């Protein structure tokens, strides 16, 4: 590696032996970073093909969608709920022979939009504003998986969809035989609105603006769960509700949620 110093950065170039068929790469690197670290980072990107030319068909319009076109198969479609299945093919795995995290996100986005379309008019354009993922376990190579999407809430300007991926051959509500994640979100929203109604006038419409969930443990099948909601703060235009899910017989905390509800119409300042 050859280094040429200037006042603020170092220009680095990887040798032909390291690059093989790759073209020359120049990068601006902090002088405080040890050269061996720079070498490792550059080598990593080169091994991943950062300098390799793309095939012409990969440059076509919407190639990203073509890549997933034949992956998803529709299982069933209901009002507010869509279920699809897919196989974990070699083209979509990571170095651990499991479903690649980026593929999981891409599938979640497509199923979520399809789910939202069951309740929204076609003249409404859907824009993905936030996508949160929790990787609980791996989907092995050649395994058949089911992606279930269900609408948690849908208003004039916002639709929230809960997604769950499960191994098809288990046949369980989820792979751990516990409470479905979408059900937790739906329950949290309803309890939050009910709690907010104790302090917000009836002439104010409540609009769910944000719902964050923490899955601390599992609520097993047939278990009785207590859901407690309390208003954290409430003002003219916003109410924040904290929610706890506990196993009734031992008061064990299994889930927490925090809901932000907007008051409509907004009060004028």
């Amino acid at each position: 590696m050859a280094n040429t110093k200037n006042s603020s950065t170092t220009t680095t170039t990887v040798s032909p032996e390291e690059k093989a068929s790759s073209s020359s790469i120049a990068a601006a690197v902090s002088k405080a970073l040890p050269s061996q670290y720079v070498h490792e980072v550059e080598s990593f990107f080169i091994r991943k093909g950062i300098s390799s030319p793309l095939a012409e068909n990969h440059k076509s319009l919407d190639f990203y969608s073509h890549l997933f076109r034949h992956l998803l198969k529709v299982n069933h479609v209901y009002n507010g709920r869509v279920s699809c299945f897919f196989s974990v093919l070699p083209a979509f795995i990571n170095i651990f022979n499991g479903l690649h995290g980026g593929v999981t996100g891409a599938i979640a986005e497509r199923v979520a939009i399809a789910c939202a379309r069951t309740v929204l008019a076609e003249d409404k354009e859907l824009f993905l504003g936030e996508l949160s993922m929790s990787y609980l376990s791996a989907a092995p190579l050649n395994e058949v998986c089911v992606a279930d999407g269900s609408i948690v809430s849908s208003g004039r300007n916002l639709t929230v969809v809960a997604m769950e991926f499960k191994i098809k051959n288990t046949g369980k509500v989820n792979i751990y035989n516990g409470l479905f994640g979408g059900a937790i979100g739906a329950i949290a929203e309803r309890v939050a609105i009910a709690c907010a109604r104790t302090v917000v006038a009836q002439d104010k419409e409540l609009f769910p603006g944000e719902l964050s969930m923490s899955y601390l443990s599992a609520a097993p099948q047939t278990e009785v769960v207590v859901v407690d909601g309390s208003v954290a703060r409430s003002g003219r235009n916003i109410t924040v509700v904290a929610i706890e899910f506990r196993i009734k017989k031992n008061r064990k905390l299994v889930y927490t949620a925090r809901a932000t509800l907007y008051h409509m119409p907004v009060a004028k300042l």
Side-chain angles (χ1 to χ4, degrees), residues 10-241:
T10 300
T11 301
T12 62
T13 305
V14 180
S15 65
E17 291 78 10
E18 292 172 310
K19 293 179 295 185
S21 60
S22 300
S23 60
S24 180
I25 299 176
V29 182
S30 170
K31 292 191 298 182
L33 191 64
S35 59
Q36 64 268 29
Y37 292 174
V38 177
H39 173 79
E40 289 297 328
V41 171
E42 289 184 333
S43 298
F44 169 79
F45 283 117
I46 290 171
R47 290 195 302 270
K48 295 303 178 183
I50 191 172
S51 299
S52 301
L54 288 175
E56 285 302 318
N57 64 321
H58 292 178
K59 301 177 184 179
S60 61
L61 180 64
D62 208 21
F63 172 78
Y64 184 69
S65 294
H66 297 331
L67 187 64
F68 292 91
R69 186 180 302 280
H70 301 294
L71 180 64
L72 283 174
K73 307 295 182 184
V74 177
N75 192 16
H76 61 247
V77 178
Y78 300 117
N79 187 39
R81 186 177 177 88
V82 170
S83 178
C84 298
F85 64 92
F86 62 93
S87 296
V88 182
L89 303 177
F92 301 105
I93 62 172
N94 55 29
I95 60 175
F96 303 104
N97 278 341
L99 185 64
H100 193 283
V103 176
T104 309
I107 293 172
E109 178 190 6
R110 279 154 177 73
V111 176
I113 290 175
C115 190
R117 279 294 176 209
T118 64
V119 297
L120 293 176
E122 287 293 331
D123 61 347
K124 286 281 189 179
E125 183 178 354
L126 292 174
F127 173 76
L128 181 64
E130 181 180 348
L131 179 63
S132 176
M133 304 288 299
S134 295
Y135 297 91
L136 307 178
S137 185
L141 177 64
N142 297 322
E143 194 69 74
V144 179
C145 300
V146 177
D148 288 328
S150 60
I151 290 180
V152 175
S153 64
S154 185
R156 289 181 296 178
N157 300 315
L158 182 71
T159 296
V160 179
V161 180
M163 293 288 309
E164 184 168 272
F165 291 76
K166 59 187 178 182
I167 305 299
K168 186 176 182 181
N169 61 14
T170 62
K172 297 179 180 179
V173 176
N174 61 33
I175 59 176
Y176 304 103
N177 211 26
L179 184 61
F180 178 57
I184 300 169
I187 293 170
E189 183 202 3
R190 284 155 178 77
V191 173
I193 292 175
C195 189
R197 278 295 173 211
T198 64
V199 296
V200 179
Q202 287 293 332
D203 61 345
K204 287 284 189 179
E205 182 182 352
L206 294 175
F207 175 75
E210 182 179 347
L211 179 64
S212 61
M213 306 288 303
S214 294
Y215 299 86
L216 309 177
S217 185
Q221 187 175 3
T222 72
E223 196 68 74
V224 179
V225 180
V226 176
V227 185
D228 290 326
S230 58
V231 173
R233 61 188 178 89
S234 185
R236 288 184 298 177
N237 298 320
I238 194 172
T239 296
V240 179
V241 179

